[in-house]
Amino acid sequence: MEQATATRRVREVDEQPLQFISTSNSDAPAVDLLNKLMSIAIDHEVSDIHFEWFETEMIVRFRHNGDLQEVRRVSLEMASSFNDKIRMKARFSMVERQLPHDGKIRFKSLESGKVVDLRISILPTTHGDSIVCRVLDGAKNLQTLDAIEMDADIKEAMRDVISKPQGLFLVTGPTGSGKTTTLYGIILTLRTPLNKINTVEDPVEYQLDGICQSEVNLKMGFAQALRSMLRQDPDVILVGEIRDGETAGVAVQAALTGHLVLSTLHTNSAVITLSRLLDLQVNPNALAAGLGAVCAQRLIPILCEHCREPYEPDDFERSHLVRHGVEAPSLIYRAHGAGCEHCIAGYRSRKAVIEMFTATPAVRIAIEASDIHALRKAAEAQPYYRTLETAAVREVARGVTSFEGANRAVGT
């Protein structure tokens, strides 16, 4: 009986429509517009869709290449229909409007037929709800490390670190900096019949075959899940985020006991990660022994090669290039504000710029001494190390991005 019920529920999920469905003549216009907006966002590789409810109307904005752009304003009546349809599809409460909600739905573009997952967050505000849909496009974001666009020396250093059977590999940066893409790229690279891989995430963004994925909940946090994983005979462990000292300590101990541990942390640079871990009361001697590498990353917008505009850099821009050890070219590029048929506002996609250091003997000594200045010097001695700002400026000189794009990403 229980097996039949479970089978029926699975069938019901599989048979759910992949667009929003109208249930009456009155909501048909809102449903048509909502399906079109979602489809446009997916086909134009938008990362987030914002529905923001204000006093007299709802504003719809897309985040593309890191920038928010307003695309539509709708009436409060239509906003209410949007809210109800999203809540119903995500199976949120239609009655409880005072609490935030988080969930996931699947959607299929009306135009391209592309199917993606949408992570839904609803937050009550003064005038209504703020709804944000994160687009989880596995076809775009699930790539092996070889397929991810980054500098060759950085990629080679990463491959060297993850080829070792143990060590802690940390990827740092703010939300939306590509940390998940990098870590999933490493996981996909390491996914072989020879490796047992366990992950704990909040939430699981992409379902991966051959990998044991867990999700934190009210009864199981990162630290508890990580401790349990160590009894699962894993080779590789992915911890979605280190948020507290307990999780940090268990992650370091796991790296010391023969596991490759991958995780993320919110810091502004790779070097400053030491300060953050010390704030979390991680033992510096254990950290020095267990660390494999730290990388900080940001995503810079890539100029459209079809419409980018060349110009001669001025004296300030030349000095900025030289200050970062980059030979100033005769021409650099900026975005064509109107864009063209190949791009949006002059940019076509984004690329990671990375600051990375590995655990050399000099790095381990600096960590044991809790000396961030010595750590910076030890990192700078490594051939693939460059600050985020220097990495972004190099891309300006190469014509990959503009000074404006680099500044938005890393604050040059």
Side-chain angles (χ1 to χ4, degrees):
M1 182 66 177
E2 290 181 358
Q3 183 175 358
T5 301
T7 302
R8 185 173 66 253
R9 287 174 179 171
V10 169
R11 189 181 298 115
E12 287 173 356
V13 170
D14 290 340
E15 292 175 354
Q16 282 188 356
L18 295 181
Q19 284 97 29
F20 296 96
I21 300 300
S22 173
T23 55
S24 67
N25 291 333
S26 60
D27 68 11
V31 169
D32 288 344
L33 179 56
L34 184 56
N35 282 327
K36 288 177 182 177
L37 287 170
M38 291 292 193
S39 298
I40 291 169
I42 291 167
D43 294 342
H44 285 82
E45 298 186 346
V46 167
S47 63
D48 299 89
I49 308 161
H50 292 243
F51 300 92
E52 299 164 333
W53 200 319
F54 294 102
E55 186 174 5
T56 60
E57 61 189 347
M58 173 180 274
I59 298 176
V60 183
R61 297 197 289 174
F62 292 168
R63 188 177 294 280
H64 183 267
N65 289 335
D67 294 329
L68 275 172
Q69 301 166 340
E70 182 180 323
V71 295
R72 189 83 179 216
R73 295 189 176 218
V74 301
S75 67
L76 293 183
E77 182 182 0
M78 188 164 284
S80 181
S81 292
F82 281 8
N83 195 336
D84 288 346
K85 292 301 176 183
I86 291 172
R87 282 175 176 269
M88 283 191 288
K89 192 164 180 60
R91 298 192 174 185
F92 295 157
S93 171
M94 302 299 291
V95 178
E96 179 53 73
R97 304 276 176 154
Q98 302 300 313
L99 293 175
H101 296 277
D102 292 286
K104 186 184 288 187
I105 65 175
R106 179 156 288 190
F107 189 87
K108 180 178 181 179
S109 169
L110 295 170
E111 298 298 325
S112 66
K114 180 188 290 186
V115 178
V116 302
D117 288 324
L118 299 173
R119 194 173 72 204
I120 310 295
S121 171
I122 297 183
L123 178 69
T125 66
T126 305
H127 299 294
D129 287 334
S130 171
I131 306 173
V132 178
C133 307
R134 168 64 60 88
V135 181
L136 303 175
D137 185 354
K140 175 185 175 185
N141 296 326
L142 288 180
Q143 308 175 77
T144 64
L145 192 58
D146 284 339
I148 297 174
E149 191 172 2
M150 65 177 70
D151 286 346
D153 56 348
I154 295 286
K155 188 177 294 187
E156 186 60 34
M158 282 189 185
R159 293 190 67 87
D160 182 61
V161 172
I162 66 174
S163 68
K164 295 178 172 59
Q166 64 187 48
L168 176 63
F169 186 100
L170 292 173
V171 182
T172 79
T175 301
S177 59
K179 301 188 298 296
T180 298
T181 298
T182 297
L183 287 180
Y184 271 73
I186 292 173
I187 288 292
L188 290 173
T189 301
L190 295 173
R191 183 178 60 176
T192 71
L194 301 177
N195 283 328
K196 169 67 177 288
I197 301 176
N198 282 83
T199 80
V200 54
E201 305 166 62
D202 182 25
V204 172
E205 294 194 353
Y206 302 101
Q207 299 282 346
L208 301 176
D209 291 337
I211 294 173
C212 297
Q213 295 174 272
S214 303
E215 195 165 280
V216 298
N217 53 52
L218 293 176
K219 295 183 179 180
M220 182 180 71
F222 279 116
Q224 183 181 359
L226 181 51
R227 283 196 176 92
S228 182
M229 276 183 191
L230 294 177
R231 296 188 286 273
Q232 293 280 308
D233 188 31
D235 298 292
V236 182
I237 296 171
L238 168 63
V239 182
E241 184 181 345
I242 291 177
R243 297 174 179 171
D244 53 62
E246 184 183 10
T247 306
V250 178
V252 170
Q253 289 301 317
L256 286 169
T257 54
H259 307 89
L260 178 63
V261 181
L262 313 171
S263 191
T264 71
L265 201 65
H266 287 283
T267 63
N268 290 329
S269 72
V271 171
I272 208 69
T273 300
L274 173 61
S275 296
R276 175 64 179 142
L277 290 172
L278 293 177
D279 287 343
L280 294 175
Q281 304 299 310
V282 174
N283 184 302
N285 293 321
L287 178 60
L291 187 68
V294 180
C295 77
Q297 68 178 60
R298 301 290 188 276
L299 295 176
I300 59 167
I302 298 176
L303 287 165
C304 175
E305 60 271 23
H306 298 282
C307 65
R308 63 181 183 174
E309 299 178 342
Y311 70 99
E312 292 184 11
D314 59 29
D315 291 341
F316 175 76
E317 290 168 331
R318 287 182 183 278
S319 66
H320 203 66
L321 290 161
V322 172
R323 182 159 61 87
H324 286 277
V326 178
E327 183 177 350
S330 58
L331 293 174
I332 56 177
Y333 295 86
R334 59 187 162 218
H336 187 286
C340 66
E341 65 271 19
H342 302 285
C343 67
I344 295 179
Y347 295 100
R348 62 172 178 83
S349 61
R350 291 191 290 176
K351 173 187 177 181
V353 289
I354 294 175
E355 171 193 350
M356 177 177 174
F357 67 84
T358 55
T360 61
V363 164
R364 297 188 193 278
I365 291 171
I367 293 175
E368 286 179 351
S370 302
D371 188 339
I372 195 165
H373 299 293
L375 177 59
R376 188 179 301 279
K377 289 183 179 179
E380 289 173 349
Q382 299 179 16
Y384 38 79
Y385 177 83
R386 58 194 69 98
T387 66
L388 288 169
E389 187 175 351
T390 297
V393 169
R394 284 163 54 113
E395 300 300 335
V396 173
R398 293 170 178 170
V400 173
T401 194
S402 63
F403 262 115
E404 180 187 7
N407 186 54
R408 289 204 307 268
V410 304
T412 61

